Amino acid sequence: MQNLDLNLLVVFEAIMTERSMTGAARRIGMTQPAVSNAVARMRQVWNDPLFVKQGRGIRPTPYAERLWEKTRAPLLEIRDAASGDQFDPGKSGRVFRIGVTEYPVDMLWLPLRKLLEQEAPGVSLHSVPLHGNTEELLLDASVDLVIHYYVGRHRQIRSSWLFNNHLVCAVRPDHPMIQSLKSGDMLPLEDYLAADHLMVSLTGAASANVDTILRRQGLVRRVAMTVTHFAAIPPLLMQTDLVCVTPQAVVARAVKAGDLIIVPLSFEIEPAPISLVWHSRQDRDPGSIWMRKLISDFATTESRRLADYFLQG
């Protein structure tokens, strides 16, 4: 420990987070030559190349990845302990990394950014893709927070309910499947099962909550197409015979414009609770508490606004 320069770990953390020498220099307020000099010292101290060029960026060596796994959580704890109990949003340059899917980004990022520009111009908000790995991202400190459906019970993971994700079945107005239905009629189960279905899949699996409900009744549907983002749903539904059960906010504008309609189903789909999730190490962190409150407040406001918008449509 006597010969260990902890400043090297700070530079190392910045490089591993940004995966770029330039980005790391900007992140910690150093010149790029100073970062390069620090990397040269790291290589000498740890007897490993640590980073190799890959295209326009860099790729950590296996040794660097192992070192990162062991040091990032302790570094966060040291930083939190040294920062004291005060957090001044107006003066902070903190970067919040949030694990999130496309739907909450569309819902929350604009109002959050407007507030940050006014009250915390130095604070950055970086979204990190989710692939069903909420606990993994939080346990290894890859993210500060996660916004997602979470029902886990890990003793170090905390969660707080944000809003209910209401699901609806959407199709184009001239879809052949619904031409014989009167307004307000439920779609017969056999017609729903016979349709070609569209769904968003973050993991590549062609199965969702709807399929679980159907399997309990010994039924299956055909998922004819999957996509990785919600923005693809409205245009696909408008121009094909696909059927999709999706969060209502995803299709609200298309429904209001008359490009899509909602069809009541003959079985109930419970809304999925969306939660704000974090690691217990950040329970008392003032910055995390501040960001969690912002997200909670905006989630309440935006979920109500979008629900009203949908109902008016």
Side-chain angles (χ1 to χ4, degrees), residues 73-94:
L75 283 170
L76 276 174
E77 293 175 2
I78 291 171
R79 183 181 293 106
D80 290 344
S83 64
D85 295 328
Q86 302 301 315
F87 176 77
D88 186 344
K91 297 179 180 178
S92 176
R94 185 161 172 175

Side-chain angles (χ1 to χ4, degrees), residues 11 79 107 114 124 136 138 213 225 231-232 235 243 256 311:
V11 178
R79 183 181 293 106
M107 179 182 181
K114 287 182 176 180
S124 300
E136 177 186 343
L138 290 168
I213 295 171
M225 179 175 285
V243 176
K256 188 164 187 176
L311 292 174

Side-chain angles (χ1 to χ4, degrees), residues 113-188:
R113 177 57 193 173
K114 287 182 176 180
L115 183 139
L116 293 179
E117 287 183 352
Q118 296 298 317
E119 299 183 11
V123 170
S124 300
L125 198 62
H126 293 180
S127 60
V128 177
L130 286 177
H131 304 286
N133 56 342
T134 291
E135 288 187 353
E136 177 186 343
L137 290 173
L138 290 168
L139 290 171
D140 66 14
S142 294
V143 298
D144 300 290
L145 301 166
V146 168
I147 303 172
H148 200 46
Y149 174 73
Y150 179 71
V151 292
R153 299 183 181 276
H154 195 285
R155 63 183 179 84
Q156 292 180 305
I157 303 298
R158 310 283 189 259
S159 65
S160 175
W161 176 84
L162 288 178
F163 58 89
N164 284 331
N165 189 12
H166 293 277
L167 303 176
V168 295
C169 180
V171 298
R172 60 187 174 91
D174 56 346
H175 195 292
M177 181 182 66
I178 63 169
Q179 294 311 301
S180 62
L181 295 181
K182 297 179 182 179
S183 178
D185 282 354
M186 289 185 178
L187 180 67

